[in-house]
Amino acid sequence: MLDNLIRTKGREGRRGYTLPKNDVGETDLRKVLPKEALRKEGPRLAEVDEPTVVRHYTNLSRRNWGIDTNFYPLGSCTMKHNPRANEVAANTPAFAGLHPLQPEAQAQGALKVMHELQGFLSEVSGLPAVSLQPLAGAQGELTSILMVKKFFEDNGDDGRTTVLVPSTAHGTNPATASMAGFAAKEIGLDEHGCVDVDELREMVDGTTAALMITNPNTCGVFERNIKEISDVLHEAGAFLYMDGANMNANLGRMRPAEAGVDVMHFNLHKTFSTPHGGGGPGCGAIACSETLAPFRPDPAVERDGDIYSFVRPAGSIGRVAGFHGNFGQMLRAWNYIKMHGPDLRDVTDMAVLNANYVRARLGGTYGVPYDELCKHEVVVQPPKGMKALDIAKGLIDHGYHPPTIYFPLVVKEAMLIEPTETESKETLDDFVGALLELAESNAEELEEAPAHAPTRRLDEARAARQLKARW
Amino acid sequence: MARFTPHTEEDVREMLDVIGVETLDDLFADVSPKFEGELGLPPALSEYEALRDVDRLAKENVSGLPIFLGAGAYDRIVPSTVGAVISRGEFLTSYTPYQPEISQGTLQSIFEFQSIISELTGLDVSNASVYDGANAVAEAALMTARLTKRDPKVAVSRGLNPRYREVIETYRVEVVELPFEDGTTNFSEVPDDASGVFVQSPNFFGVVEDIGAASEAAHGVGALCVAVCDPISLAVLEAPGNLGADVAVGEAQPLGMPLLFGGPYAGYMATDGKSVRQLPGRICGETVDKDGKLAYVLTLRGREQDIRRAKANSNICTNQALTALAATVYTALMGPEGLREVAELSVSKAHYLADRLRASGLELRYPDAPFLWEFVVELPDVKRANEALLDAGMVGGLDLGDGGMLVAVTEKRTKEELDAFVGVVADAG
Ligand SMILES: Cc1ncc(COP(=O)(O)O)c(C=O)c1O
């Protein structure tokens, strides 16, 4: 079958970039390297000119939807507008050209950005200590749980073998618990979709290291018993970790520390508008209590007068990244927070307003399993007899990126809608209009959707059965 | 009002009416404990003011100087086209391609990235990227345990970037240290219960190692061989897959990513076809749509956290898609010849510098070991040499703390800079 890969567009001998001339005389590789080490056959790579490269990737980009092109209410992912000022900040040459191993004295500007951002995240969470190093949300989770593990080890408590994870949790939570060497035990929900406190009381014992709670949870519902939950854990000597992927619902309205959270992660690529880039890079900074602070990854940034430096926390779990983390994302988030200041609360207010508006408008036609106040997102179900998948594909034909579907797992045919604060009432009205129209459509015809996208539905089984993952 | 929010007061009023509450505060009636103060953050700045601060802080960095630091991150040329492509909003502001019909741009670019990594490493399957080189190494360590059904225990030498080793240890993998002599690793005594044997080539000190010997040693005890390679080096060095490596991993930063104080970069991972189910992270595969048209989709999803939860290969979700795209565009621009030229220029300049240093009476730590563009020079006082270099407008190499300076030379360095480096270092020495 004919593909459209970059490699098909070239011709032997074409070049897309001109390098500076060699000004020192050539070193013959054969003279300085053993023969066996030398490559016998070159890699089969594209040989293309610059105009072809630009056109190829520009055209590829046009087969993609982003926030810039379409409303993108992908639940749990906070697809808010990405201010371009952040990009300017991250592309500033004196940051972009900074080598991570330049001595601290040569990188005071960068360290100051990191130190200030640590302070901002500390203020937003109420937790005193921060590490910016984790490279995405899942790594922030792992960092947090490894810190908990190290705490128990250093205290000679080797009986803490389990981590509790609610059934609503994102897949990264149980995967993190396993990766950190704990048994992940699932905990059930009450009628609001929140952690069942009675079940929690029964489950928590001397083997419990932590509970991983997401607040608001992945149904978009605030875990109203969070304080009680943290008390139960603390009484048993266990920790409360909070998955902060949904912090867009909490800014200036709730601080995890006051709810008894001991450690949490942020997704800077969600809450603080750093772009998602087609699936990363992100930044999964963590914040924690004084008790857990000594276990943070190496290094953290500290300030002494006007001097900023890297320090290894006393009981550090070690490094989780090669260098200091995704600094470019830190710059973007720092810039975003500086452009908001205490008005971050308005971000949350508008995000929650938008989600509740969609909830109110869809109720009656779509099922709303937890039909009470939601926070920044709402989970709905298609009308009887219809599938979330078909509605999602139908939405594409209306020009909308579908919501997250089939997650959270506890809601059948779940459609998790997160509008974010950067969308207007008109956009939400049109989107709701499209969903209401789809609810009336013929279920069989809808199976044909999308008809107006770059491709139609794909044969996903074939991709796995006849794996072809390279040219 | 929030800065990037379109709502007017009327919008808010109308929406609250539809919801059936009076005030914005009412939307948080269920929140407990509430935070009722004001966040103690500096007052909101306009874009202009915020960016003025960025510039002000940027000036507090030492920048714009020739850099002789490497050790895992390299000061290479980034063609303008790379930045132009990755700042296209359709790439920049999209997310994980869970809806393939409207994500073919990202998906095809991942497929191209995987193809490039497979070509460079000589291994059949690559994933769509992991966080960085260090995490690729750590994930590979865990992968060797799954594949050999042994406890995670890996043999490494001092030739492995110490930061990579630290991340392996954070991931709670047991590490056994192999002897390191004259700049290369001695693989003759690999513990027979190891799950993996790691060989970095060129190694941390810049020396080209014998991947073939590492893989023989690994296979001899039923372990897997993991090669850690700089992708640019693979333009001129034999592909690890052809030397018996079972897994190849590394840092893709040299392929078009700015230094940016350590990230975002991208880790790559590749393996042979039979081990693909133990690869962590996303894999993009080819398929067809309903009309039989070729298209791309994420595949073998049963390995991942959203499907397998506690039993997943890894917890990784968000990876480094945009920087992997940068690597893809960079490689397209360079082509096989351009990559080779980048490597050869760097080799020529590094060897020129090494020769000049030797001629000035200094010694290399591993005088007989083959190297590409990074080497250790012995100095009486590395700290003083680096201070002198900075005074002369250069960022010196990495102080190894034992009298050695690890020096990296890329295609960016000019003869003039190299000569100046020699002058300063020879004087300070
Ligand atoms: C609730 C929740 N937790 C954790 C994560 C993991 O974050 P990341 O993808 O950055 O690793 C996500 C998003 O992907 C999420 O939605």
Side-chain angles (χ1 to χ4, degrees):
Chain A
M1 202 171 335
L2 228 52
D3 64 42
N4 176 44
L5 297 167
I6 185 74
R7 204 166 81 84
T8 65
K9 300 193 171 165
R11 178 162 194 177
E12 215 180 305
R14 277 201 190 127
R15 289 283 293 273
Y17 196 72
T18 306
L19 290 158
K21 288 218 166 25
N22 191 338
D23 56 358
V24 296
E26 254 170 61
T27 297
D28 187 348
L29 285 170
R30 288 167 303 185
K31 293 219 174 96
V32 296
L33 294 172
K35 194 162 145 261
E36 326 77 74
L38 290 176
R39 189 158 188 134
K40 281 169 254 338
E41 236 174 273
R44 299 173 308 147
L45 302 173
E47 298 188 50
V48 282
D49 53 288
E50 178 177 311
T52 299
V53 171
V54 171
R55 190 169 296 161
H56 176 76
Y57 290 103
T58 301
N59 282 325
L60 272 193
S61 79
R62 293 167 70 189
R63 292 162 63 77
N64 238 27
W65 289 11
I67 310 167
D68 283 4
T69 59
N70 301 76
F71 178 45
Y72 208 125
L74 189 65
S76 208
C77 299
T78 314
M79 303 300 287
K80 61 168 76 178
H81 170 66
N82 301 140
R84 289 318 192 263
N86 298 346
E87 300 309 303
V88 173
N91 288 307
T92 303
F95 286 115
L98 201 59
H99 193 287
L101 299 177
Q102 277 181 254
E104 287 135 299
Q106 297 179 24
Q108 286 295 298
L111 282 147
K112 193 166 177 187
V113 168
M114 293 175 76
H115 190 263
E116 282 190 12
L117 180 58
Q118 287 178 182
F120 295 165
L121 297 181
S122 187
E123 175 61 22
V124 163
S125 61
L127 291 161
V130 169
S131 168
L132 302 172
Q133 195 177 119
L135 297 165
Q139 207 185 32
E141 297 173 27
L142 181 63
T143 302
S144 304
I145 298 302
L146 286 173
M147 285 163 56
V148 166
K149 190 177 177 100
K150 186 88 183 339
F151 170 89
F152 287 120
E153 284 172 356
D154 286 11
N155 283 279
D157 184 347
D158 53 11
R160 305 279 174 169
T161 51
T162 57
V163 164
L164 305 178
V165 182
S167 52
T168 41
H170 193 259
T172 49
N173 289 191
T176 290
S178 301
M179 231 175 144
F182 289 103
K185 260 200 203 158
E186 193 168 288
I187 179 162
L189 311 177
D190 66 13
E191 69 278 16
H192 303 288
C194 295
V195 171
D196 186 329
V197 183
D198 293 331
E199 196 175 324
L200 179 74
R201 285 184 193 284
E202 277 168 36
M203 286 179 87
V204 170
D205 59 23
T207 68
T208 311
L211 167 71
M212 300 180 82
I213 200 167
T214 305
N215 201 9
N217 63 30
T218 63
C219 303
V221 178
F222 191 85
E223 292 277 353
R224 66 200 76 198
N225 301 316
I226 185 161
K227 188 72 185 69
E228 194 181 344
I229 289 169
S230 69
D231 289 342
V232 171
L233 290 158
H234 293 159
E235 272 162 39
F239 290 97
L240 180 61
Y241 154 85
M242 188 177 118
D243 178 326
N246 293 342
M247 276 302 279
N248 216 41
N250 296 332
L251 303 173
R253 287 287 183 178
M254 185 285 264
R255 297 208 300 179
E258 284 133 30
V261 169
D262 301 290
V263 57
M264 65 172 292
H265 92 262
F266 290 89
N267 289 65
L268 299 193
H269 47 300
K270 297 178 180 177
T271 314
F272 300 114
S273 82
T274 80
H276 289 72
C283 174
I286 61 116
C288 67
S289 64
E290 294 290 0
T291 309
L292 290 174
F295 305 100
R296 279 171 300 155
D298 173 26
V301 180
E302 281 190 6
R303 171 184 183 168
D304 184 4
D306 285 340
I307 309 288
Y308 298 85
S309 52
F310 284 127
V311 289
R312 181 183 172 95
S316 177
I317 58 166
R319 342 184 117 266
V320 296
F323 296 105
H324 322 305
N326 282 336
F327 179 72
Q329 310 308 72
M330 297 174 205
L331 261 174
R332 291 174 170 97
W334 172 80
N335 193 60
Y336 177 83
I337 296 173
K338 298 225 327 174
M339 290 194 295
H340 286 84
D343 302 347
L344 278 181
R345 197 182 81 164
D346 298 333
V347 166
T348 283
D349 285 4
M350 295 302 116
V352 172
L353 176 71
N354 279 358
N356 276 287
Y357 181 71
V358 169
R359 176 182 58 85
R361 295 266 342 254
L362 287 178
T365 308
Y366 282 74
V368 186
Y370 305 108
D371 200 6
E372 45 196 302
L373 278 180
C374 65
K375 293 277 84 63
H376 66 306
E377 59 191 354
V378 60
V379 61
V380 303
Q381 296 167 297
K384 268 222 159 25
M386 299 188 89
K387 291 204 197 99
L389 181 71
D390 295 333
I391 302 275
K393 301 302 183 192
L395 274 172
I396 294 177
D397 280 335
H398 283 266
Y400 299 106
H401 191 289
T404 296
I405 50 174
Y406 301 107
F407 178 78
L409 305 178
V410 295
V411 174
K412 282 208 180 74
E413 299 294 330
M415 300 173 59
L416 184 61
I417 303 173
E418 181 179 8
T420 83
E421 73 282 6
T422 58
E423 299 297 336
S424 68
K425 179 171 177 296
E426 291 85 337
T427 300
L428 301 185
D429 284 334
D430 291 349
F431 171 70
V432 166
L435 275 173
L436 296 179
E437 196 184 314
L438 286 167
E440 301 292 314
S441 58
N442 177 314
E444 240 165 72
E445 278 169 26
L446 208 50
E447 284 174 22
E448 292 303 312
H452 308 297
T455 68
R456 303 197 55 210
R457 287 197 208 185
L458 304 187
D459 184 349
E460 303 199 9
R462 173 185 155 136
R465 214 172 43 239
Q466 311 173 16
L467 181 68
K468 183 170 186 322
R470 63 176 293 187
W471 62 49
Chain B
M1 201 61 73
R3 174 145 303 159
F4 303 101
T5 295
H7 297 341
T8 63
E9 270 170 41
E10 291 75 65
D11 288 325
V12 173
R13 185 75 267 137
E14 286 166 26
M15 293 169 80
L16 288 173
D17 284 347
V18 171
I19 297 166
V21 297
E22 290 283 321
T23 65
L24 288 170
D25 285 344
D26 294 343
L27 294 174
F28 297 87
D30 54 339
V31 171
S32 158
K34 284 188 178 50
F35 175 70
E36 305 198 271
E38 183 177 280
L39 287 173
L41 295 169
L45 298 182
S46 66
E47 170 182 307
Y48 174 74
E49 293 163 311
L51 291 179
R52 204 170 51 191
D53 276 3
V54 171
D55 278 338
R56 194 169 46 74
L57 286 185
K59 289 202 184 82
E60 293 179 27
N61 299 324
V62 170
S63 71
L65 307 182
I67 294 177
F68 290 87
L69 272 169
Y74 297 89
D75 181 28
R76 296 204 174 278
I77 293 174
V78 179
S80 310
T81 301
V82 174
V85 169
I86 70 170
S87 51
R88 293 259 330 168
E90 299 90 331
F91 286 129
L92 183 75
T93 72
S94 61
Y95 206 13
T96 308
Y98 289 132
Q99 297 289 338
E101 298 88 347
I102 47 176
S103 310
Q104 285 299 307
T106 295
L107 285 160
Q108 184 174 325
S109 78
I110 295 173
F111 188 88
E112 293 185 357
F113 174 78
Q114 292 173 177
S115 303
I116 290 164
I117 297 302
S118 281
E119 286 294 332
L120 289 173
T121 57
L123 289 162
D124 276 338
V125 226
S126 145
N127 68 13
S129 77
V130 291
Y131 306 132
D132 66 0
N135 278 278
V137 166
E139 284 279 12
L142 295 173
M143 190 176 156
T144 61
R146 292 194 295 273
L147 281 165
T148 57
K149 303 202 167 61
R150 293 180 176 179
D151 287 338
K153 176 172 179 174
V154 299
V156 313
S157 79
R158 287 198 298 121
L160 181 69
N161 187 324
R163 288 165 177 267
Y164 296 179
R165 175 174 173 161
E166 281 181 60
V167 176
I168 297 183
E169 284 171 344
T170 303
Y171 278 47
R172 304 202 158 234
V173 172
E174 190 184 339
V175 175
V176 189
E177 187 163 319
L178 299 173
F180 187 74
E181 297 147 3
D182 298 330
T184 55
T185 308
N186 178 344
F187 293 101
S188 64
E189 275 164 58
V190 171
D192 53 15
D193 60 345
S195 58
V197 175
F198 279 69
V199 52
Q200 181 176 331
S201 180
N203 66 27
F204 182 65
F205 305 103
V207 176
V208 175
E209 292 254 13
D210 186 349
I211 295 176
S215 54
E216 254 173 54
H219 300 156
V221 296
L224 299 182
C225 173
V226 181
V228 184
C229 303
D230 178 332
I232 302 270
S233 76
L234 297 178
V236 293
L237 296 183
E238 186 56 280
N242 295 343
L243 294 167
D246 304 286
V247 182
V249 295
E251 176 59 74
Q253 180 273 332
L255 303 175
M257 287 156 231
L259 289 167
L260 205 53
F261 205 45
Y265 300 164
Y268 77 80
M269 299 186 76
T271 189
D272 51 28
K274 64 180 193 303
S275 308
V276 55
R277 277 171 204 280
Q278 295 305 336
L279 260 183
R282 303 199 167 107
I283 298 173
C284 169
E286 187 186 283
T287 188
V288 290
D289 76 354
K290 268 192 164 176
D291 295 336
K293 258 187 12 206
L294 188 142
Y296 301 93
V297 68
L298 296 179
T299 193
L300 301 181
R301 300 263 296 115
R303 302 163 299 108
E304 292 187 61
Q305 47 75 29
D306 53 332
I307 312 281
R308 281 291 281 296
R309 299 179 73 86
K311 295 199 174 68
N313 284 352
S314 165
N315 68 346
I316 191 168
C317 177
T318 292
N319 53 28
Q320 305 284 120
L322 198 71
T323 37
L325 173 62
T328 306
V329 176
Y330 175 90
T331 312
L333 286 164
M334 291 297 172
E337 280 311 308
L339 278 190
R340 166 172 270 279
E341 200 178 320
V342 170
E344 286 176 345
L345 277 171
S346 308
V347 169
S348 298
K349 288 168 192 260
H351 282 257
Y352 172 81
L353 180 64
D355 290 345
R356 293 279 328 261
L357 288 168
R358 272 189 288 228
S360 75
L362 293 166
E363 279 178 26
L364 300 198
R365 176 162 296 175
Y366 308 114
D368 303 320
F371 70 94
L372 295 178
W373 44 75
E374 210 162 7
F375 58 86
V376 181
V377 59
E378 304 280 4
L379 296 174
D381 190 339
V382 178
K383 199 161 169 275
R384 211 176 58 214
N386 270 336
E387 281 164 9
L389 284 164
L390 189 61
D391 286 343
M394 285 174 273
V395 176
L398 185 70
D399 185 348
L400 294 174
D402 58 3
M405 182 198 279
L406 180 62
V407 181
V409 185
T410 68
E411 75 282 7
K412 268 189 170 180
R413 298 290 72 82
T414 62
K415 178 169 181 297
E416 203 183 343
E417 292 163 3
L418 301 173
D419 290 341
F421 183 95
V422 176
V424 173
V425 168
D427 270 0

